[in-house]
Amino acid sequence: MSTPLDGVRVVDFGQFIAAPAATQVLADLGADVIKVEPIHGESSRSIGIYGDAILRNYNRNKRCIALDLKDVRGQQVARELIAGADIVVQTSKYRAGLDIAAQAESGIMWVTGEADREPQRVGFPVVDAAAAHVFAQAILGAYIRRLRTGDGDTVETSLLEVAVHLQGPNWGEYLLTGNDPVRKGNGQATVAPAADVMPTRDGAIVVSAYSVVHFDRLCNLLGHPELASDPRFETNESRVRNRPALLEELRSEFAKMTSDEAMTLLTPNGVVAGRISSYREVHKNPDVEAAGIFIDVTDPTGVEHTTLGSPWHLHSIPRFSTTGAPALGQHTVELLTELGYTAAAIDDLATTGVVCSRKA
């Protein structure tokens, strides 16, 4: 069965997350993605287990060639790779583009955390991950245009603009009112109860039930229908003004339940709720297991491990490749041979340090 990007060649000069994660999307759609690394390896290879995790998650089923791009012979190989590519990806900035800087300068950290504490970063590289999907989306748009018109295009995005765009509702409110949002921890500033944490006997859940219908339903399910007509809570505006009192009432009821009991009570009845889960719990979640986001792959040494697949499903792609991230320079000889280099020429490039070649 063919895949959407069969026959499409991508040359990726990116490092870390944003660019490799974007080309991982293309690889999962069937493209032949060639990862070009320095002869000493991309930066992720030198930062321990966090770097290993990045490499494993965002470089599955790619081919790797290691080149010295400061050497004219390495530059020539790169040009030859580019000449045969449909898509070329690079991360080239005058200033290092790192997730944390984008979180800081976009306003994300300004609105994250408790009101009386220092600003907090989101607990994972959210901007890098979002930028990858934005980039892949735009690349595919440009590629479709080329198929239709024959004209190439240049796609650009940045971590900063992606980080700003992620905050659409906040920015929409700011542009309407001119008022800076402020940190308030959990809970949404203008509706209640919304994104509010309810501790249970064995953990905690988060609950949102701020419409008239859902708040009435929540009160009835908790056995306190009178709360819906309490003057402190009868409108959304009054609930926002009296949020501490509202949370005290709701939390006293949820404290009597386990998280499972609370979820069983709320979700079948249309009240939005979610169990606050550890990674171990997420990994065992039946819904997550059914989605198939975790896949088993084999690394270059033949060892099997679990990593993440792409968060979408196409009928033309019944399962993602089980080939793990390549070793540094694993496909150098293979790719140079495809470009027409002789064995002697390849040996010379390896001996003089222009390329790095390592067997799987």
Side-chain angles (χ1 to χ4, degrees), residues 180-205:
D180 247 330
V182 296
R183 291 188 301 283
K184 291 190 175 180
N186 293 312
Q188 292 176 230
T190 59
V191 285
D196 286 299
V197 174
M198 305 292 166
T200 63
R201 281 166 40 200
D202 60 352
I205 64 170

Side-chain angles (χ1 to χ4, degrees), residues 99-140:
D99 178 275
I100 187 58
Q103 287 199 39
E105 296 191 13
S106 67
I108 288 177
M109 288 185 67
W110 180 264
V111 298
T112 304
E114 300 291 340
D116 58 348
R117 304 292 294 273
E118 67 179 15
Q120 296 287 308
R121 70 176 182 90
V122 177
F124 65 97
V126 59
V127 182
D128 278 341
H133 290 288
V134 169
F135 196 23
Q137 172 184 303
I139 288 170
L140 291 171

Side-chain angles (χ1 to χ4, degrees), residues 65-354:
I65 183 171
L67 301 174
D68 181 359
L69 293 178
K70 295 180 180 179
D71 189 291
V72 293
R73 293 168 294 173
Q75 294 168 13
Q76 178 59 31
V77 172
R79 291 190 186 95
E80 292 171 5
L81 288 170
I82 290 169
D86 298 285
I87 298 164
V88 178
V89 172
Q90 64 169 335
T91 48
S92 179
K93 295 180 176 76
Y94 292 110
R95 176 185 174 192
L98 296 176
D99 178 275
I100 187 58
Q103 287 199 39
E105 296 191 13
S106 67
I108 288 177
M109 288 185 67
W110 180 264
V111 298
T112 304
E114 300 291 340
D116 58 348
R117 304 292 294 273
E118 67 179 15
Q120 296 287 308
R121 70 176 182 90
V122 177
F124 65 97
V126 59
V127 182
D128 278 341
H133 290 288
V134 169
F135 196 23
Q137 172 184 303
I139 288 170
L140 291 171
Y143 184 67
I144 290 171
R145 177 177 180 269
R146 199 200 79 171
L147 293 177
R148 295 176 63 186
T149 69
D151 295 328
D153 212 337
T154 299
V155 175
E156 291 185 77
T157 190
S158 69
L159 298 184
L160 182 59
E161 62 193 304
V162 169
V164 171
H165 192 267
L166 282 172
Q167 302 168 75
N170 284 11
W171 276 103
E173 187 174 346
Y174 171 80
L175 294 171
L176 282 170
T177 67
N179 297 325
D180 247 330
V182 296
R183 291 188 301 283
K184 291 190 175 180
N186 293 312
Q188 292 176 230
T190 59
V191 285
D196 286 299
V197 174
M198 305 292 166
T200 63
R201 281 166 40 200
D202 60 352
I205 64 170
V206 64
V207 175
S208 286
Y210 47 85
S211 71
V212 173
V213 172
H214 289 103
F215 184 65
D216 285 352
R217 189 175 300 165
L218 174 64
C219 295
N220 280 298
L221 289 170
L222 292 177
H224 289 280
E226 74 280 359
L227 290 177
S229 57
D230 188 312
R232 297 173 298 169
F233 312 136
E234 61 185 349
T235 67
N236 177 64
E237 290 75 15
S238 64
R239 291 195 294 274
V240 170
R241 285 195 305 271
N242 296 290
R243 187 188 295 267
L246 173 65
L247 294 183
E248 183 177 352
E249 295 282 357
L250 298 179
R251 285 172 173 168
S252 67
E253 295 304 315
F254 283 109
K256 303 171 186 176
M257 310 177 198
T258 66
S259 293
D260 282 346
E261 289 169 345
M263 293 296 294
T264 299
L265 176 69
L266 299 181
T267 54
N269 290 292
V271 177
V272 176
R275 182 185 288 102
I276 299 175
S277 303
S278 68
Y279 275 38
R280 185 179 299 278
E281 291 168 330
V282 173
H283 199 190
K284 295 178 180 178
N285 185 315
D287 292 334
V288 173
E289 290 182 344
I293 187 68
F294 294 105
I295 60 175
D296 294 325
V297 299
T298 304
D299 72 16
T301 65
V303 175
E304 190 176 89
H305 64 266
T306 303
T307 188
L308 293 175
S310 285
W312 43 261
H313 305 277
L314 272 68
H315 288 291
S316 60
I317 307 174
R319 61 180 300 185
F320 295 126
S321 168
T322 58
T323 303
L328 176 63
Q330 180 179 337
H331 302 95
T332 296
V333 172
E334 178 181 309
L335 289 164
L336 289 174
T337 302
E338 289 179 10
L339 291 174
Y341 285 75
T342 65
I346 295 171
D347 286 342
D348 181 60
L349 291 174
T351 300
T352 55
V354 177

Side-chain angles (χ1 to χ4, degrees), residues 4-22:
L5 295 184
D6 273 351
V8 175
R9 175 164 288 192
V10 180
V11 176
D12 179 8
F13 292 89
Q15 299 191 46
F16 284 121
I17 296 176

